[in-house]
Amino acid sequence: QVQLVNSGGGSVQAGGSLRLSCVGFGYSYSPYCMGWFRQAPGKEREGVAAIGMDSSTNYADSVKGRFTISQDNAKNTLYLQMNNLKPEDTALYYCAADLWGSRPCHYTDYDLFAYWGQGTQVTVSS
C-alpha cells in the first residue's frame, strides 16, 4: 500500500525559511512525478512545484526563486525548501506522487497524482 507522510511544517516570521519533507512507503522505484500543493483557508488548492524522475522541475510563478523542490530517491523522500517566506504562503501543504506517468509532469495537473500525503501546516506571520 502506497503511503506518503508529510513533515516539516511550522510557524515562522516573514523572511524565514522552512524545509518540508515527504517520505514515501510501499514502493521501491523512482516515481514518475512528485509534486507539492497547498491550500489556504477559503481558497482553492494550488499547485506549487513538481519534479520528474529525470529531475526536471517546474514552479508556480508565486514561488519561483524562493522555493526549491528536490528528491532523494535512495530515501524515497521529497523535499521543499522554502526561503523568504511571505504571509501569503500560509497554507496546508501536501505532497503527491504519480508512480507510472501518463502525461507530462507538471504542478498544474492535479489529476496526474494518484497518491497524496496528509498535509503539514505552514504559517507565516508578518
Side-chain angles (χ1 to χ4, degrees):
Q1 181 179 357
V2 175
Q3 186 179 11
L4 303 177
V5 179
N6 293 140
S7 64
S11 298
V12 296
Q13 291 190 330
S17 298
L18 284 172
R19 189 176 79 157
L20 305 184
S21 299
C22 171
V23 181
F25 299 92
Y27 57 93
S28 58
Y29 48 90
S30 300
Y32 170 75
C33 181
M34 296 198 74
W36 286 100
F37 300 82
R38 65 187 183 186
Q39 188 165 19
K43 295 188 177 181
E44 293 188 354
R45 179 182 51 183
E46 175 187 23
V48 174
I51 185 167
M53 61 186 306
D54 61 353
S55 297
S56 60
T57 59
N58 49 85
Y59 296 89
D61 287 344
S62 59
V63 306
K64 202 172 292 183
R66 299 188 297 122
F67 290 11
T68 302
I69 187 172
S70 62
Q71 59 189 355
D72 184 337
N73 291 326
K75 297 181 179 180
N76 268 16
T77 302
L78 177 73
Y79 301 101
L80 185 68
Q81 178 66 44
M82 305 184 294
N83 298 328
N84 191 20
L85 282 160
K86 303 177 180 180
E88 52 264 42
D89 294 319
T90 295
L92 190 61
Y93 283 71
Y94 301 88
C95 65
D98 168 42
L99 301 184
W100 306 284
S102 58
R103 50 189 186 268
C105 176
H106 202 272
Y107 68 88
T108 58
D109 191 352
Y110 303 149
D111 292 338
L112 178 65
F113 300 91
Y115 301 99
W116 293 78
Q118 83 283 11
T120 186
Q121 179 67 37
V122 172
T123 303
V124 185
S125 57
S126 57

